[in-house]
């Protein structure tokens, strides 16, 4: 333990900081980039990041799965008792499975990063907002799932709850009043909508109002499948039903009767008392004390209202099947409706949602891989019969163009949710530093022809991404994530994916010249997937450092075609895509056969 006493700061909320003494930040994400003029002048240190070692990640992941298996059935039993229902474990897994696992994961990470800090440093005290037990109880699932909604003041309170449950907390906590007027929820829908898009949305709304009059009770519910819109329409037509475009829907947060739900403190206290564990495992005790404080109101106090909303949806009453690739995660209306229908015997299909399925370490089995009748992959197979190999849903028949004499397109990611047992936010900050290092390695000609495409979500996150780029080079061409990606690709000779992304699968499957790079080599990749990635590494498509990626660009820049069309490069691309980004010449007939099986 370091001897110098330091005041603990657990979030970036400066109202909870103390500036007149030595301080320790719980993690680097407490220090906002656009506020460094404040914190850089302080006597501070930053606690060590937690869980970056792969073996520790394996241990933590196992702990999560063991605890989930132990606690989830009893948790469901208590929820059933509260509602006087008898729904199955699978029913509640569809409804609450993602929230339950993600909450366990977040609590484990927060608990262990705090515990590590207390064990390694001499803490003099900290500041917390005063709170009642249910101050941070979310209304909707997305409030605790989405990092953009789980604001620093909420983090501060949750971290304090954990501190108060740890034996290592032997310092005073000063409580200050919480001012609601100073804390406003972030808005996830801040994008400006163009006149053209407003017109399109109006036409879609008009079509929806007309088409829903033709819904048959036995129609399949096909919603947000990841298929291109035209292909989704073709799929519905092939099934003999009028296309419904269900993907264009209202959010549950728009319902005022849900937003204003009051917390039933007494009942939650009783549920917590019943749920509390007598285990000697300190983390299990923390989980059982906090889980009912973090359960969204929509599933306790608001389930009756949510059921009414679900029953008023214009969806088929006896669907032949359900198929989605996106709505299973945080769409509270869809999840409850799907759970009801699954209980009645409807087959539930879930399609692969982007990359990292079948390749990413410490994620399987995901909840969406457990709950459906069948899980449709983008090509890979599993020993379980539940997994059905399909194709990359975003595959389109039209040929994507690129300009062999064009520029360089760098596609960025954005941190929006914490769903790992290790410090992903620390890694994201290192990622941002690495992006700047990559651009600094480019030639002047390449940098002048460079377009950096940000994810649209960067506007509503706390990472000051655009400012970081312009502090490095104010002349850079930054695209805010609103331009059509196909058009951007057509203007460039080479697409650079700066992380292991869905975009990489899309450009590789479409035979677009592609280079990808990321830190930590194969650490995030399953052993069985590594040989396929090695194929891409060996031919210079995938790199494990920004310098290596830049060197490859310098090597092939003047004649991309010669490199990209080499037999070894094309062979590696095809073998990798056959496994993880398979294309289909007859996507609708292939998908229809799976869905009607």
């Amino acid at each position: 333990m370091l001897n110098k006493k330091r005041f603990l700061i657990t979030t970036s909320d400066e109202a909870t900081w103390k500036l007149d003494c030595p301080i320790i930040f719980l993690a680097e994400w407490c220090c906002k980039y656009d506020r460094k003029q404040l914190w850089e002048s302080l006597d501070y240190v930053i606690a060590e990041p937690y869980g970056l070692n792969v073996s520790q990640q394996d241990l933590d992941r196992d702990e999560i799965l063991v605890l989930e298996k132990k606690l989830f059935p009893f948790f469901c039993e208590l929820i059933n008792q509260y509602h006087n229902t008898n729904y199955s474990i699978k029913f509640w897994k569809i409804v609450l499975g993602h929230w339950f696992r993600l909450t366990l994961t977040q609590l484990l990470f927060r608990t262990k990063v705090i515990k590590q800090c207390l064990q390694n440093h001499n803490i003099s005290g900290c500041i917390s907002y005063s709170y009642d037990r249910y101050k941070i109880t979310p209304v909707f699932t997305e409030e605790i799932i989405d990092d953009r909604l789980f604001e620093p003041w909420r983090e501060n309170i949750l971290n304090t709850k954990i501190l108060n449950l740890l034996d290592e907390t032997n310092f005073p906590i000063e409580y200050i009043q919480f001012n609601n007027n100073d804390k406003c929820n972030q808005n996830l829908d801040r994008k400006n909508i163009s006149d053209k898009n407003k017109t399109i949305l109006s036409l879609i709304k008009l079509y929806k109002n007309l088409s829903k009059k033709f819904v048959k009770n036995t129609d399949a519910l096909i919603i947000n499948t990841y298929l291109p819109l035209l292909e989704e329409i073709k799929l519905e037509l092939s099934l003999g039903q009028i296309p419904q475009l269900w993907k264009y829907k209202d959010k549950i947060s728009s319902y005022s009767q849900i937003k204003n739900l009051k917390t039933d403190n007494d009942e939650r206290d009783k549920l917590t008392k019943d749920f509390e564990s007598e285990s000697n495992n300190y983390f299990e005790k923390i989980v059982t004390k906090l889980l009912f404080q973090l359960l969204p109101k929509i599933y306790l106090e608001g389930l009756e209202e949510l059921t009414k909303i679900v029953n008023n949806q214009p969806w088929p009453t006896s669907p032949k099947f359900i198929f989605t690739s996106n709505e299973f995660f945080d769409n509270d209306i869809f999840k409850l409706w799907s759970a009801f229908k699954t209980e009645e015997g409807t087959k539930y299909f879930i399609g692969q949602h982007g990359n990292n399925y079948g390749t990413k370490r410490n994620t399987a089995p995901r909840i969406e891989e457990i709950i459906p009748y069948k899980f449709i992959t983008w090509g890979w197979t599993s020993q379980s019969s539940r997994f059905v190999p399909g194709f990359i849903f975003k595959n389109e028949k039209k040929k994507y163009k690129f300009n062999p004499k064009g520029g360089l397109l760098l596609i960025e990611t954005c941190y929006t949710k914490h769903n790992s047992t290790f410090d992903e936010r620390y890694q994201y900050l290192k990622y941002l530093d690495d992006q700047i290092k990559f651009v600094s390695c480019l030639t002047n000609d390449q940098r002048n022809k460079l377009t950096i495409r940000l994810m649209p979500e960067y506007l509503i996150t706390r990472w000051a991404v655009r400012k970081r780029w312009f502090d490095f080079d104010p002349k850079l061409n930054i695209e805010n994530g609103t331009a059509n990606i196909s058009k951007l690709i057509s203007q460039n000779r080479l697409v650079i994916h700066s992380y292991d992304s869905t975009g990489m699968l899309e450009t590789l499957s479409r035979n677009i010249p592609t280079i990808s790079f990321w830190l930590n080599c194969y650490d995030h990749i399953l052993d069985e997937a590594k040989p396929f990635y090695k194929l891409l590494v060996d031919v210079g498509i995938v790199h494990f450092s920004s310098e290596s990626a830049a060197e490859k660009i310098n090597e092939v820049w003047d004649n991309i075609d010669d490199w990209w069309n080499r037999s070894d490069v094309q062979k590696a691309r095809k073998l990798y895509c056959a496994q993880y980004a398979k294309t289909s010449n007859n996507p609708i007939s292939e998908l229809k056969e799976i869905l009607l099986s």
Side-chain angles (χ1 to χ4, degrees):
M1 177 182 289
L2 302 179
N3 290 325
K4 187 174 184 179
K5 280 198 170 186
R6 292 185 176 274
F7 191 83
L8 178 62
I9 293 173
T10 65
T11 77
S12 61
D13 190 329
E14 293 170 15
T16 64
W17 292 19
K18 185 171 282 191
L19 308 181
D20 59 353
C21 63
I23 61 174
I24 179 169
F25 291 111
L26 181 62
E28 285 203 33
W29 32 264
C30 296
C31 311
K32 285 186 176 179
Y33 179 85
D34 53 3
R35 293 289 294 163
K36 64 181 180 179
Q37 74 278 8
L38 169 67
W39 53 264
E40 276 189 335
S41 63
L42 303 176
D43 177 3
Y44 77 93
V45 296
I46 299 175
E48 303 80 6
Y50 175 78
L52 302 186
N53 183 277
V54 172
S55 61
Q56 185 62 55
Q57 293 171 19
D58 291 344
L59 290 172
D60 287 340
R61 178 68 177 180
D62 289 344
E63 185 173 357
I64 291 294
L65 294 179
V66 168
L67 199 56
E68 177 185 290
K69 184 177 181 179
K70 177 180 179 180
L71 296 181
F72 191 71
F74 184 40
F75 188 82
C76 297
E77 182 182 330
L78 292 174
I79 297 290
N80 271 327
Q81 289 176 11
Y82 177 87
H83 291 299
N84 194 26
T85 55
N86 191 32
Y87 297 130
S88 66
I89 298 294
K90 183 174 182 179
F91 175 96
W92 289 116
K93 187 76 78 171
I94 292 170
V95 172
L96 290 173
H98 286 92
W99 166 82
F100 193 92
R101 182 175 293 179
L102 189 59
T103 302
L104 288 188
T105 302
Q106 289 183 349
L107 286 176
L108 184 139
F109 167 71
R110 290 180 185 280
T111 298
K112 293 205 172 185
V113 75
I114 291 171
K115 193 176 180 73
Q116 175 180 271
C117 178
L118 300 190
Q119 289 173 341
N120 293 345
H121 298 273
N122 198 350
I123 306 301
S124 62
C126 70
I127 292 175
S128 171
Y129 288 112
S130 57
Y131 59 87
D132 61 43
R133 295 181 301 287
Y134 302 104
K135 192 171 191 67
I136 61 171
T137 302
V139 179
F140 315 111
T141 303
E142 67 179 355
E143 287 181 61
I144 196 164
I145 283 177
D146 200 306
D147 184 70
R148 296 166 291 174
L149 285 175
F150 203 74
E151 300 138 300
W153 69 267
R154 294 176 184 264
E155 280 193 288
N156 170 264
I157 291 173
L158 181 54
N159 290 339
T160 303
K161 287 174 181 284
I162 293 170
L163 280 168
N164 282 324
L165 293 172
L166 286 174
D167 293 338
E168 290 87 346
T169 304
N170 56 6
F171 49 85
I173 299 176
E174 177 187 343
Y175 291 91
I176 61 176
Q177 288 301 310
F178 178 84
N179 187 343
N180 280 308
N181 293 327
D182 293 337
K183 313 292 176 189
C184 56
N185 287 336
Q186 299 207 43
N187 183 357
L188 290 182
D189 300 309
R190 291 184 185 174
K191 295 182 200 174
N192 293 322
I193 301 176
S194 67
D195 290 339
K196 178 182 178 181
N197 286 338
K198 286 179 182 177
T199 301
I200 292 172
L201 290 173
S202 296
L203 291 172
I204 289 170
K205 185 176 181 180
L206 177 62
Y207 176 82
K208 280 180 61 179
N209 289 334
L210 290 172
S211 65
K212 68 183 181 183
K213 298 180 186 298
F214 299 94
V215 175
K216 299 190 292 290
N217 288 338
T218 56
D219 279 353
L221 186 90
I222 296 171
I223 180 170
N224 240 342
T225 62
Y226 235 130
L227 290 167
L229 178 59
L230 182 58
E231 297 302 302
E232 193 169 290
I233 289 171
K234 289 179 182 178
L235 176 60
E236 293 212 58
L237 289 172
S238 75
L239 294 165
Q241 58 191 61
I242 302 299
Q244 295 298 324
L245 309 184
W246 294 123
K247 66 188 296 184
Y248 301 98
K249 63 186 184 309
D250 294 330
K251 278 184 171 286
I252 181 65
S253 55
S254 65
Y255 291 89
S256 59
Q257 70 269 38
I258 296 292
K259 285 192 292 187
N260 298 320
L261 283 171
K262 292 184 178 180
T263 309
D264 190 342
N265 292 9
D266 291 340
E267 284 297 326
R268 283 184 182 252
D269 285 348
K270 182 178 181 301
L271 288 165
T272 297
K273 185 176 180 180
D274 292 339
F275 191 54
E276 282 185 19
S277 172
E278 299 297 326
S279 168
N280 292 324
N281 183 307
Y282 76 92
F283 177 60
E284 184 175 332
K285 287 184 176 180
I286 287 174
V287 166
T288 57
K289 284 181 180 293
L290 294 183
L291 214 55
F292 274 103
Q293 295 182 30
L294 299 173
L295 175 65
K297 297 177 189 178
I298 195 79
Y299 291 116
L300 203 67
E301 296 87 351
L303 188 63
E304 185 177 344
E305 285 296 335
L306 178 59
T307 301
K308 291 178 184 177
I309 293 169
V310 166
N311 290 337
N312 284 330
Q313 295 303 304
W315 296 339
T317 55
S318 302
K320 60 171 64 78
F321 63 80
I322 304 164
F323 174 42
T324 187
S325 299
N326 291 343
E327 298 305 307
F328 54 79
F329 189 62
D330 62 0
N331 183 339
D332 293 314
I333 297 174
F334 174 80
K335 287 194 298 181
L336 185 60
W337 182 87
S338 298
F340 284 142
K341 298 306 172 186
T342 300
E343 290 281 276
E344 295 168 4
T346 300
K347 290 180 179 179
Y348 184 16
F349 294 85
I350 292 180
Q352 180 172 329
H353 178 84
N355 71 315
N356 288 332
Y357 286 87
T359 66
K360 191 172 183 181
R361 190 186 190 100
N362 287 327
T363 58
R366 303 183 193 220
I367 299 299
E368 61 267 31
E369 295 173 343
I370 297 171
I371 57 178
Y373 168 69
K374 298 290 183 182
F375 183 85
I376 308 170
T377 77
W378 285 3
W380 56 275
T381 57
S382 169
Q383 292 181 343
S384 170
S385 60
R386 186 185 301 115
F387 294 83
V388 180
F391 52 89
I392 182 169
F393 295 147
K394 298 189 80 171
N395 169 248
E396 296 179 84
K397 290 185 177 180
K398 68 179 182 180
K399 185 174 177 61
Y400 266 51
K401 298 178 180 178
F402 63 96
N403 183 354
K405 299 299 181 183
L408 186 65
L409 179 61
L410 173 63
I411 299 179
E412 299 285 278
T413 188
C414 185
Y415 177 90
T416 58
K417 59 174 63 73
H418 190 102
N419 57 5
S420 296
T421 59
F422 58 91
D423 197 338
E424 285 186 306
R425 287 187 279 192
Y426 171 86
Q427 288 200 332
Y428 179 65
L429 291 172
K430 297 308 170 192
Y431 162 86
L432 292 175
D433 291 340
D434 197 50
Q435 300 309 293
I436 289 173
K437 183 189 294 185
F438 168 74
V439 174
S440 69
C441 291
L442 298 176
T443 66
N444 289 333
D445 179 50
Q446 292 159 5
R447 194 187 293 195
N448 290 335
K449 293 179 179 178
L450 173 68
T451 298
I452 301 172
R453 178 182 172 85
L454 305 181
M455 289 182 71
E457 290 83 357
Y458 91 93
L459 289 167
I460 46 180
T461 61
R462 62 187 78 169
W463 307 107
V465 175
R466 194 178 179 91
K467 177 173 172 54
R468 291 172 190 265
W469 277 116
F470 284 150
D471 283 352
F472 165 66
D473 184 349
K475 299 189 295 296
L476 288 171
N477 178 25
I478 306 289
E479 198 284 306
N480 293 335
T482 56
N484 181 280
I485 188 65
S486 303
K487 184 175 181 181
L488 282 177
I489 289 172
S490 71
Q491 295 168 348
N492 290 278
R493 70 179 77 177
L494 187 58
V495 179
I496 311 298
H497 297 283
S498 58
Y499 61 111
D500 190 358
S501 66
T502 303
M504 183 181 82
L505 300 185
E506 293 174 13
T507 53
L508 286 177
S509 67
R510 290 163 177 159
N511 203 15
I512 301 295
T514 298
I515 285 177
S516 295
F517 71 95
W518 54 77
L519 299 168
N520 301 322
C521 301
Y522 294 104
D523 284 359
H524 71 288
I525 299 171
L526 288 168
D527 288 342
E528 57 264 36
K530 288 178 183 177
F532 294 94
Y533 279 83
K534 190 175 186 303
L535 292 171
L536 302 183
V537 172
D538 289 345
V539 296
I541 294 176
V542 166
H543 298 259
F544 296 141
S545 75
S546 50
E547 296 95 334
S548 174
E551 287 175 11
K552 189 65 182 181
I553 293 168
N554 292 336
E555 175 191 325
V556 304
W557 181 250
D558 291 329
N559 201 329
I560 297 292
D561 283 348
D562 280 357
W563 165 65
W564 189 249
N565 291 319
R566 265 176 21 200
S567 59
D568 60 333
V569 173
Q570 283 297 307
K571 181 180 179 181
R573 180 191 71 82
K574 290 175 182 177
L575 287 171
Y576 179 86
C577 288
Q579 181 73 2
Y580 298 116
K582 181 184 172 186
T583 55
S584 173
N585 292 324
N586 299 291
I588 300 308
S589 59
E590 186 175 335
L591 194 51
K592 181 180 175 182
E593 182 179 350
I594 294 171
L595 295 170
L596 293 179
S597 63

